[in-house]
Amino acid sequence: MADQLIKGLEGVIVAQTSSSKIDGQNGRLFYRGVPIEEFVENNALYEEVVYLLWHGRLPTRSELDQFMAQLAEERPLPEGIAEAIREYPRSADPMVVLRTTVSLMAMYDENPDDLSPDNLRRIAARLLARFPTILAAFHRLRQGLEPVAPRKDLTHAANYLYMLNGEEPGPRSVEGVNAYLVLLADHGMNASTFTARVVAGTQADMYGAITAAIASLKGPLHGGAPPRVMATLEKIGSPENAERFVEEALERHERIMGIGHRVYKTWDPRAKILREMARNIAEETGNRKWFEIAHALEQAAVSRLASKGLYTNVDFYTAPLLYSVGVPVDLMTPTFAVSRIAGWTTHLMEQYADNRLIRPRAEYVGPVDEHYIPVEQRG
Ligand code: ACO
């Protein structure tokens, strides 16, 4: 086993976790043993899920109030960080903005290198609280608008929408974005989570590990699918074009974005819930166009591809859902990070608590028995 080359580490178990469990065969996902559907059915706040992941149990009412007050305290950005964001080029990729600002945050933290559990939870809360503030501030500034300060009376999901759009969001929009944040909070050992753990494995600080995780999430093979789903919906333009679009795409052996998953060979449980949330938001905003095109595309694609175990994945309805509540296409992957910071920090707490340097090996396949030739003698 130790000498075997396993490209992409596929099937290799690299850590133990008590955070989330995926049952790909049956299309199930659990956080600390609780099926994700139960959080959404009971309108659980994202904040409750974060508490559950970090502490291993759901908060009592007073613990939840305290936690939400802590996040409210942490949400505003220190002056130096707010000023730095003002200087960023308006054309910057918001994923780069988030990655850079998280790295910057380490310089403004009074105690970034203390890896004790209490300090890790403090840093995790700061990071989680500030992701929406950073992204919304940059999004406002690039439109020539002033950033909107967070409100202490709004939840995490509501604050994000409020700071982005400058107006209080409708209840369906908040419910949909809260559900989105809940559903993407953690997902086993994915690429960005592994990246974060590798950094933490050297006992480097949490800011560095999260900066690296964001860098990893940016790639199109990980967090980059929703913008491509949105591009597909725009290309289709109207629900009645969906059948022909799918037929022609499959004839050309092209992949349909938002369909298929490495782990789920049935419905992705998150996609099913997001479909209903996207439908509700379409009703509330009166903008049904993107949901209806997505729904027609799903029906056309799944009827042809289900026999191969291909169904809509989490990214499929994320695109129309986020777009309809005012999250532009290039903020979709950063919004994934707004949710996944919960899972990343949970895995980091696990890694720091039971650390072993992550140090695999490479198989050398280069030349052997070569010799150094002094520069004057090289032809
Ligand atoms: N559309 C059409 N056919 C597909 C699709 C698709 N979206 N996905 C897979 N297939 C087909 C393949 O062509 C292949 O067919 P074949 O056996 O006839 O050659 C078969 O299904 C198996 O494909 P693999 O690439 O082996 O499946 P894998 O598990 O490696 O891929 C992946 C999973 C990468 C997600 C793939 O389904 C895909 O590219 N989907 C579209 C992009 C996407 O939505 N990405 C987001 C994933 S979810 C997430 O990252 C959070």
Side-chain angles (χ1 to χ4, degrees):
M1 179 69 186
D3 287 336
Q4 212 180 329
L5 170 66
I6 301 175
K7 263 194 157 178
L9 299 181
E10 210 170 330
V12 177
I13 296 172
V14 293
Q16 291 184 316
T17 181
S18 313
S19 181
S20 61
K21 172 179 154 66
I22 307 167
D23 175 356
Q25 277 309 317
N26 298 305
R28 307 291 311 276
L29 173 62
F30 306 82
Y31 295 153
R32 300 233 179 239
V34 181
I36 51 161
E37 292 80 3
E38 291 190 18
F39 297 108
V40 181
E41 281 159 15
N42 291 286
N43 295 318
L45 287 177
Y46 172 67
E47 290 89 323
E48 290 177 76
V49 171
V50 174
Y51 193 101
L52 171 68
L53 293 177
W54 288 355
H55 296 264
R57 62 173 177 81
L58 285 162
T60 62
R61 165 51 61 196
S62 74
E63 285 168 339
L64 179 61
D65 290 346
Q66 237 178 324
F67 181 47
M68 290 177 75
Q70 182 191 5
L71 294 179
E73 283 301 319
E74 291 286 0
R75 244 173 225 120
L77 301 175
E79 198 45 41
I81 294 177
E83 285 306 315
I85 295 175
R86 281 183 191 277
E87 299 300 319
Y88 293 164
R90 289 186 177 181
S91 58
D93 179 330
M95 257 332 241
V96 176
V97 165
L98 186 63
R99 190 183 71 205
T100 303
T101 311
V102 167
S103 192
L104 190 60
M105 279 174 70
M107 292 191 251
Y108 287 83
D109 195 292
E110 55 281 19
N111 199 12
D113 295 314
D114 172 359
L115 304 179
S116 65
D118 282 350
N119 197 51
L120 290 174
R121 271 202 289 269
R122 178 190 63 80
I123 294 173
R126 178 166 288 183
L127 282 161
L128 187 134
R130 289 188 187 164
F131 272 24
T133 324
I134 294 165
L135 292 168
F138 175 70
H139 181 55
R140 303 278 301 174
L141 288 166
R142 70 178 175 174
Q143 297 171 92
L145 300 167
E146 271 305 295
V148 173
R151 265 181 35 193
K152 290 202 167 177
D153 60 322
L154 296 180
T155 63
H156 201 59
N159 252 315
Y160 185 32
L161 291 178
Y162 171 65
M163 289 189 285
L164 267 183
N165 300 321
E167 55 190 46
E168 207 172 313
R172 294 291 206 182
S173 300
V174 175
E175 182 191 40
V177 172
N178 179 71
Y180 169 81
L181 296 180
V182 165
L183 294 173
L184 278 93
D186 193 30
H187 205 239
M189 189 56 72
N190 51 81
S192 55
T193 299
F194 181 57
T195 305
R197 276 190 181 252
V198 171
V199 176
T202 71
Q203 300 277 278
D205 64 288
M206 196 179 241
Y207 289 102
I210 297 298
T211 303
I214 299 168
S216 164
L217 184 68
K218 181 169 177 287
L221 296 188
H222 191 4
R228 298 206 254 158
V229 174
M230 206 55 223
T232 304
L233 300 182
E234 276 166 352
K235 202 164 151 191
I236 294 173
S238 166
E240 58 275 13
N241 299 335
E243 279 283 343
R244 191 159 43 87
F245 176 87
V246 171
E247 220 168 86
E248 290 176 2
L250 295 182
E251 263 168 32
R252 290 193 299 268
H253 300 286
E254 284 173 9
R255 291 188 175 210
I256 296 160
M257 289 299 115
I259 306 277
H261 197 279
R262 176 59 62 81
V263 180
Y264 298 115
K265 297 304 173 195
T266 176
W267 295 101
D268 180 331
R270 302 164 298 175
K272 284 202 287 190
I273 302 171
L274 290 175
R275 183 198 297 127
E276 293 322 303
M277 294 293 157
R279 192 196 306 274
N280 290 344
I281 290 172
E283 295 295 329
E284 176 172 272
T285 59
N287 180 1
R288 291 191 182 76
K289 179 176 171 184
W290 302 114
F291 173 77
E292 284 173 4
I293 300 172
H295 196 42
L297 173 62
E298 178 182 46
Q299 287 179 322
V302 172
S303 65
R304 289 171 175 80
L305 295 170
S307 57
K308 291 170 84 174
L310 297 168
Y311 296 83
T312 35
N313 62 44
V314 67
D315 293 326
F316 190 84
Y317 280 106
T318 291
L321 186 153
L322 293 181
Y323 200 71
S324 306
V325 295
V327 176
V329 169
D330 68 354
L331 276 180
M332 287 181 183
T333 309
T335 302
F336 186 162
V338 167
S339 167
R340 187 54 59 82
I341 181 68
W344 289 335
T345 46
T346 307
H347 279 261
L348 287 176
M349 290 172 199
E350 291 183 333
Q351 185 69 38
Y352 287 122
D354 180 23
N355 188 51
R356 183 156 173 84
L357 179 72
I358 299 173
R359 204 316 189 174
R361 292 190 300 135
E363 180 188 4
Y364 179 71
V365 294
V368 290
D369 293 335
E370 292 285 321
H371 294 284
Y372 176 78
I373 302 166
V375 67
E376 310 77 51
Q377 293 172 28
R378 285 175 220 155

